[in-house]
Amino acid sequence: FFSLFFKMSFDALNEPLVIVVTILAGLVVALMFGPLRKTRVNQQIKLDEPKVVDVLNLADIEDEKICLCRCWRSKKFPYCDGSHNEYNKSCGDNVGPVVINK
């Protein structure tokens, strides 16, 4: 296959069919591997509910500060357990918790 491609003249690369096939191949790759692919952020928490909502009352908070999870990977959700550290290392993201001080 590649030997046939390299034997083609540069004029053949201007053929409409070659251009269309190249564009379609690029679109297929972009849809399969690119940012257009839809994936869930939340992979484990309350998946059976239409929306995850947790209510925290400041009067009920006993500690001087609390850390709330934003990566959706905490085993103590909605509180942060540091799961974002491993996640960030694996994918190069920079997500961290919301820290609320009293």
Side-chain angles (χ1 to χ4, degrees):
F1 172 76
F2 290 112
S3 63
L4 174 68
F5 177 76
F6 288 115
K7 289 181 182 178
M8 293 173 51
S9 69
F10 287 107
D11 293 333
L13 293 176
N14 290 327
E15 293 293 325
L17 179 61
V18 173
I19 294 170
V20 169
V21 168
T22 304
I23 291 171
L24 288 176
L27 285 173
V28 167
V29 170
L31 289 174
M32 289 176 61
F33 302 107
L36 298 177
R37 185 174 167 204
K38 294 181 180 179
T39 58
R40 292 184 70 111
V41 173
N42 176 11
Q43 300 286 327
Q44 63 187 6
I45 299 162
K46 301 179 186 178
L47 297 177
D48 56 331
E49 295 183 19
K51 186 187 299 186
V52 178
V53 177
D54 291 290
V55 177
L56 304 172
N57 295 312
L58 288 178
D60 297 335
I61 298 172
E62 297 173 3
D63 298 330
E64 288 298 313
K65 72 177 181 179
I66 60 169
C67 298
L68 300 176
C69 176
R70 291 194 300 176
C71 73
W72 292 90
R73 285 159 177 78
S74 175
K75 302 290 188 259
K76 300 186 322 181
F77 192 88
Y79 301 101
C80 176
D81 68 357
S83 295
H84 60 273
N85 293 318
E86 183 178 329
Y87 170 74
N88 288 344
K89 287 179 189 174
S90 69
C91 69
D93 207 344
N94 65 347
V95 69
V98 173
V99 179
I100 299 175
N101 294 314
K102 263 191 168 177

